[in-house]
Amino acid sequence: MTVVTRFAPSPTGFLHVGGARTALYSWLYAKSQGGKFILRIEDTDIERSTQEAIDAILEGMEWLGLVWDDGPYYQTQRFERYNEVIEQLLAEGKAYKCFLPAAELDAIREEQMSKGEKPRYPGTWRDRTDHPQDQPFAIRFKTPQTGSVVVKDHIRGNIEIANAELDDLIIRRTDGVPTYNFCVVVDDWDMGITHVVRGEDHINNTPRQINILQALSAPIPEYAHVSMILGDDGKKLSKRHGAVSVMQYRDDGYLPQALLNYLVRLGWSHGDQEIFSLDEMIELFSLDAIGQSASAFNTDKLIWLNQHYMRALPPEVVADYARWHFEQQGIDLSQGPKLEDVIAVQAERVKNLKEMAQISRYFYEDYEAFDESAAKKHLRPVAKEALLLVQSKLAAIIDWNTNTIHDAINQAADELGVGMGKVGMPLRVAVTGGGNSPALDQTLNLLKPEQIEQRISKALEYIAIRENS
Ligand code: GLU
């Protein structure tokens, strides 16, 4: 059997972390079994579905690298097929037309509730054949009245529901639109879905869907209903918890590798291991190892993973994601060092790619002004001599590399009989505009000698102005 899984979002909002985790689990399971992963857009709720949401979902999936093998399918393009199956069920007597007006049904429900009963459709039209002409009707599925449905769930074990608990659910509304639960069934059948991974909020739909699948003699998939994600405060994750859209994480400077690693561990584990490359996830993932209890979001852990991946991934890979942030911040990367070389020296120093761009501007353009406190502290008259000397030593370098730069700075300090810091700190402020940078030899090596020369002159000017004021 070839495993086929799907991610079936309703496009009523962006791709949030809960959806992304479901998509990841579904994707991982398909990959781990050498199977196929399908993307299906469940857009039957025309009022709430939007093109923006579809685009946001596709963008999120692409950014995460959750590539689908088939699709995206759109339910709104499949109405003909749903209607065909509805006709089949009607012809086989497995579904029926229900002419009960909504107002009457409401009244029945109210009465049931006033008696403390569960509101349900009383089966009014289940067996009637005296159909009125020209009257609107819904189509209902004939749910078996006896027996039970067993949902085989990889996370929750077997869940048994008595059919007596289930209504004859509407599969096509009075307005002619097939209902959500029905479309899912036809899609899962037509698309050959073998494993349904979805949120636990769908658990009540599953027995209804299984009954319809059975009526169609369709194979019943296996299920995995994933528990929900809670915020740091133990409440259901919502917009209140800040960044919940996957793309917000990109905007905030996270690597998709970090978010994927974070999401896989949010409910799934393999011993105590925290760090999983994508290949490892695929190799080790199993639906049975997903936990039953809700998982709480932990931003600190995500930050930690992001820092890990910024350092551990090859700088070229990090650069592919960092480039966008530099562009967002208006930094022109066409002049200056290769981005991966900047990444290699800065990765240790930041929490995310947004900060990476923020602190790396001086590699690509001259800073506008010195950081005030760094300049006050280090660009003082006493630094003049050191800056002049190191400027000439650097200017004399023939082969510009970290070793020759390092030697030039050392020699300047030696000749002045001072510690490295007395030369290094003014030089750092002169070159970067501030008091923080990677090791000076590495920093200077990424810049051009003439840039260094000019920036030191600028610092000397600053000192001169200060001396004279
Ligand atoms: N469209 C549903 C949702 O976005 C998912 C349904 C399913 O996976 O079966 O919650």
Side-chain angles (χ1 to χ4, degrees), residues 6 8-10 40 42 180 184 188 196-199 201-202 209:
R6 86 299 196 273
S10 303
R40 179 168 88 214
E42 301 202 321
Y180 167 73
V184 170
D188 283 344
V196 171
V197 181
R198 62 182 169 203
D201 46 331
H202 288 282
Q209 294 179 5

Side-chain angles (χ1 to χ4, degrees), residues 173-202:
R173 295 195 311 240
T174 321
D175 61 6
V177 178
T179 57
Y180 167 73
N181 265 312
F182 184 73
C183 300
V184 170
V185 165
V186 177
D187 287 348
D188 283 344
W189 180 30
D190 283 357
M191 294 169 196
I193 304 301
T194 60
H195 294 75
V196 171
V197 181
R198 62 182 169 203
E200 67 176 356
D201 46 331
H202 288 282

Side-chain angles (χ1 to χ4, degrees), residues 5-22:
T5 66
R6 86 299 196 273
F7 177 52
S10 303
T12 54
F14 42 60
L15 180 65
H16 53 80
V17 289
R21 184 188 58 167
T22 304

Side-chain angles (χ1 to χ4, degrees), residues 96-115:
Y96 61 92
K97 295 179 182 172
C98 169
F99 295 86
L100 190 66
E104 262 178 58
L105 183 57
D106 286 347
I108 294 170
R109 287 196 169 133
E110 244 164 66
E111 200 191 320
Q112 288 168 331
M113 284 196 287
S114 72
K115 285 196 226 148

Side-chain angles (χ1 to χ4, degrees), residues 398-409:
I398 295 167
D399 182 10
W400 188 254
N401 63 48
T402 49
N403 289 330
T404 53
I405 294 167
H406 186 83
D407 290 348
I409 302 169

Side-chain angles (χ1 to χ4, degrees), residues 325-337 339 342 346 356-370 428-434 443 446-448 450-452 454-455 458:
H325 290 276
F326 281 74
E327 284 162 8
Q328 286 294 305
Q329 293 180 34
I331 300 172
D332 177 6
L333 294 174
S334 64
Q335 310 294 323
L339 184 53
V342 171
Q346 296 280 49
M356 175 85 78
Q358 276 158 358
I359 68 158
S360 301
R361 190 176 282 274
Y362 59 78
F363 284 112
Y364 297 95
E365 57 193 57
D366 289 336
Y367 49 84
E368 275 172 17
F370 294 106
R428 171 168 283 124
V429 180
V431 172
T432 69
T443 307
L446 293 180
L447 288 155
K448 295 196 193 76
E450 52 276 19
Q451 285 176 302
I452 309 286
Q454 258 173 30
R455 291 184 189 183
K458 192 167 160 184

Side-chain angles (χ1 to χ4, degrees), residues 9 14 49 56 84 98 151 175 229 242 251 290 310 312 359 366 417 468:
F14 42 60
S49 302
E84 182 182 286
C98 169
V151 181
D175 61 6
I229 301 178
D251 297 355
I290 299 174
M310 283 193 297
I359 68 158
D366 289 336
N468 298 328

